[in-house]
Amino acid sequence: MPIENRMSQPAAFIRWNGVLNSSCMVVLAIFTMAGFYGYLALGETVKDTATLNLPMTPFYQTIKIMFVLCIMISYPLQFYVPMERVEKWVTRKIPAHKQTRYIYAARFGGVICTCILAEAIPHLALFISLIGAFSGASMALVFPPIIELLVLYAKGELTATMWLKNGLLLFFAIIGFTTGTYSALSEISQALFKTD
C-alpha cells in the first residue's frame, strides 16, 4: 500500500505485469532456486537454516556475517508498515512534544520483542512455522473473504453465491489456521520442555 500510494501511476501496481506481480515472481524464483539447490546440496541433513550447515572456516564465517548484516539492514524496511501505523496513531493521540519519544519507544519495543521471541524459541524453523501458520494464514486466507463479504454487503451486492464461495473459503481457512497454529505451538512446547 505505501508503494502503491506513492506511485505516479498506481494502476500499474496491480496489473498482471505490474510492480506487485513482477516483484513477487522475482522473489518466488529466488526462493525456489535457493530452496531447490540448498536441498540438492544438503539433502535430509539440512538444519533450521542452510547457513548452519556451512563449515567453520573464515570464508564461510564471512558469508554468515554478510548474511547477518543484510538482515540487520533490511530489518527497518520490514518494520516500515507496522511502524507507519504506529506513527499515525501516535500523531493523532499523543501531544506533539512527546511524539518523538513515543515513536522511538515503539520502534525499540518492537525490535526488543522480536529479539526476545527469537531467543526464547529454541529452533528458528519452529518460530517461522508459527508466524506462517498464524499471520500468513490469517492475512492470506481468513481476512480476504471477510473483507470481500463486508465490501459486497456495503455495496448491496451480496448474493448467495458470494456467501457460499466466501463461506467455504473461510471454513477451510479457519481449519488451516487452527491446525497450523496448534501444530506449531505444540512443536514449540515439545522443544521447550523436552527432557533428555
Side-chain angles (χ1 to χ4, degrees), residues 2-88:
I3 296 170
E4 183 179 5
N5 291 338
R6 288 180 173 84
M7 288 179 64
S8 60
Q9 297 176 346
F13 186 76
I14 55 173
R15 286 195 313 234
W16 73 270
N17 63 345
V19 175
L20 181 64
N21 287 339
S22 299
S23 59
C24 285
M25 291 305 291
V26 169
V27 169
L28 177 67
I30 291 170
F31 283 3
T32 302
M33 286 190 305
F36 176 76
Y37 289 116
Y39 189 77
L40 191 66
L42 301 170
E44 293 292 327
T45 62
V46 69
K47 295 181 180 173
D48 287 349
T49 63
T51 54
L52 293 175
N53 289 80
L54 296 176
M56 300 295 276
T57 62
F59 175 73
Y60 290 113
Q61 291 305 312
T62 306
I63 290 175
K64 288 181 186 180
I65 290 170
M66 289 171 29
F67 186 67
V68 168
L69 289 174
C70 287
I71 291 173
M72 188 177 77
I73 291 169
S74 69
Y75 196 75
L77 184 61
Q78 297 168 26
F79 242 50
Y80 175 77
V81 174
M83 285 302 116
E84 186 181 41
R85 299 287 93 190
V86 169
E87 285 179 18
K88 284 187 179 181

Side-chain angles (χ1 to χ4, degrees), residues 136-157:
S138 60
M139 296 292 276
L141 301 173
V142 176
F143 292 147
I146 292 172
I147 292 170
E148 186 176 28
L149 284 173
L150 291 173
V151 168
L152 290 174
Y153 177 77
K155 288 181 175 180
E157 299 173 1

Side-chain angles (χ1 to χ4, degrees), residues 1 40 171:
M1 294 289 283
L40 191 66
F171 175 73

